[in-house]
Amino acid sequence: MGLDELRVRYSLVLELNRFTNVHLFEKGFYQVRASVVGPPNSAVICESLQLDEQDCTAQELSPGIQDNCAISSTFKVIMKKAVIKLRNAFIFSVDIPGDVCNFIRSCTVPITIQFQLYHAKLISRPKNPDSLDHCTTLLVNLNYSPVYGLHYCKEDLFEYMYMAQIRYTVHMVMVDIDNPPHTLLSQCWDSRLPVLSVVDVGIQDYKDMILNVATVLCGTLLSAYDFLKSTFSNLQDTLPSEYRHELKPADAVDALRTILTSLAEIESIDDAQDQLIHDLKSISRSIHILWFEFLECFIHSKHIQQVLLERFRAVQLERQKEACFTQSHPKEKSGDYKSSTLSSSVGNFIRNSRYMSTIPPLPLQADDNDGEASMIPIIIEDLYNWEPYTDNPNISVPKEILDRAMREKRVWDPIMRRPHIVVQLDENIIKAWRDSQLTEALTETLNEEGEKEADFSRARSAVLLNGDRPTRTSGSDSNSSFYTTTEETDNLLLVDLEPAAHDPNIPSQLSPITTQPTSSSNSRPVRPPPPEFSEVSLIPENHKTINDLARKTIRLLKSEVTHVNFEHARRDLIGSPLMESMYFLTDTEGSRMMATTYSASPHLVVCAHGLEGASNDLRQVRIFLQAALPKSDLHFLMSDAYMEDTYQDIKEMGRLLADDIVQTIICSPKPYERISFIGHSLGTLVIRAALQDPLLERYTAKFHTFLSLSGPHLGMMYSPSYLVNGGLWLMQRLKAGKSLQQIAMKDSSDIKQTYVYKLSCNDQLHHFSNVVLVSSHQDRYVPFHSARIEICNDAKRDYSYSGHVYREMVHNMIQPMIDNPKCNISRYSIQYALEHGSANSMIGRAAHIACLDSEVFLNKFFSVMGWKFFV
């Protein structure tokens, strides 16, 4: 590191809190190693952070450091679902080069935590780290802000073959800015380049340049100190009073004003530069003192870990809801193919849109589990008998208004990121609504420059607009307000169809992280600076006093990080004609689920695998469903009743499955109040066959949810893939399996005598409270319409005997569900981010099994929407 190189130092504390054996295949000793990887020109130093005596049992070895890599306690795993408390903490010092001319952006470089899992098949404990073998690696990208840093706790899974979970906590702050370069300052002066700006603001002399640099560097450090103290105070508020520390108040604006005033009074350039270095070191010392007080108070605190974990889960849920859309249909139309609008072209349109490339990353993002923006699956939910709602429980919107609202044009709310419905109302309705509590206030405040700024808080109901411009409406709650723009605003009512996406984890002055598109496909998106830093100088021409300069600088550094590109892309996408009937999924129940209790009664979930499958095929489905409902008493039957021969008669496999279920129920110490089924591919037909077995007749009142993952409920009729049809024909010849003939509906010359048709004639799905059908256009193994149990266009145009029988099958299955008002039908259309050009993608196999082995999809599906079918 040269004397003329500006260096920025971050302090990153990593706590390894807990290791959980989810489904490890190998017993023995395990160890987690963690290292921090920065850009090529960075320097990383790791040290052990032991603030108290390590609580190690006889089965553990002490943590340590080897080759700048943190090594956890070595522990023994011999039991399923074993939970090992680690209590290991390490502190990493990360030095990165800074660019004075683009300081905020240069301080936001890609930083990754690399977790490595090591294992040893030993009877006795290993004596040194070299005796353990590397198993797998988990990469976690940090998306942070120089001012706000990171303070989160997260749980991540290692990959499929080593299914274990690591809980860790990350605290990261900027602690120092070292070596402000004299040479670089001279270069900035020679080229007349304003700091943090691409616009010439008329810096007159070299002293102005020093003040500009001091404003940026000292202002950033002071803002980081101020936010660390704010985080300290917020976390302390969650602790009992006896554990709280007294924090002295500090004002970053006053501190920066004092520094700039002192520099302005110094005549010598060299003395001014020395004073700047002294000021930076003084601020850095203050940050270090507060930082270690912070660590002493919160490291190894179970309570703080839980608080930070809940905050991260809320942020994670908000991101998981992106690329989730919903649309509603009358229940009587549930068998009509027109009710489904997610064609491959619509999926491709969403996938290639600017919206998908600008979805913000998570603060702690493991791409294997969370998915980068390009790898996020698109999910469209089709609901039947859906009714619109308002988010305010105190508001009762007349049904005739909502019915009319559904037929009118929507407008996009640019502030709250969700659509509203515009309804033209007559004067009587307007007067009634104006006199009620339905109107909300839009408050206005005057800033110091005399400019009017609307105080846009999040609305929870409806707003009346009159005239050509938005008008303030009085109401009792000034904290709920709304603003939107539309040309047709005479006598309009805006009905909020989606609740506000409020993030309780993020302080009021900090909005969620964002990203900007980059030219390199290998570059990872990170949190950009506020737009002000990339477009204007920190010394605007109309700021003539140091007081204004200090105040504006701190305000800009603490301003909300808006993601304008993402908001615009979101608005443009939902406003497209192809997306006319769709809305972004909000899932208010999912947001409330974390804080509410729900039924903990014993609930049996039966999982049935597909052709040539095994009982463990659905284990990731089980894992992510359990993770989404940690408080539910779910009992899983991963049935292997027909695993030995999946080519036998489907009816016989159903009998074996029914017997397995009955034996499980009889042997259970507690009676199951509900029974649900999850099937994949052939397994869905086996479940339906088991439901018709006399052994399960007595349990029909307990049937709760039937979740079908790519199930060929209507056989392979009208399959669009000639390649799959040919492969199926060949397998029938080679395997001579009856189940293949039954799926292809070739087990009888009369289509009405085939097993799939007979199965539809006495179908039992209408006994379930929820029938959930998951399918994908990319899945060519099972026709899209067959997985969704609906009439396709080819069947509509087919007036032959086969077409007639096909339509009968759909009617046989759908009509009983329509007739039962307690049976809810939901369909989910998925577009996965598959590898292009691979053989599995081309033949459709990749999408067919993605619903089983895609961690990103399963995590997203069960966290956002799938959980509600099992409570």
Side-chain angles (χ1 to χ4, degrees), residues 189 192-194 197 199-205 208 537 539-541:
W189 167 246
R192 302 295 196 275
L193 289 176
S197 176
V199 180
D200 189 357
V201 295
I203 293 178
Q204 300 298 323
D205 54 32
D208 286 347
S537 171
I539 309 182
E541 295 182 31

Side-chain angles (χ1 to χ4, degrees), residues 792-823:
C792 63
N793 286 331
D794 288 341
K796 284 184 177 181
R797 295 189 293 264
D798 188 356
Y799 297 101
S800 66
Y801 179 68
S802 297
H804 173 73
V805 172
Y806 181 90
R807 291 188 291 272
E808 272 191 18
M809 284 196 297
V810 175
H811 181 270
N812 292 341
M813 298 179 66
I814 294 296
Q815 193 59 47
M817 290 188 267
I818 295 175
D819 294 338
N820 182 5
K822 295 183 180 180
C823 181

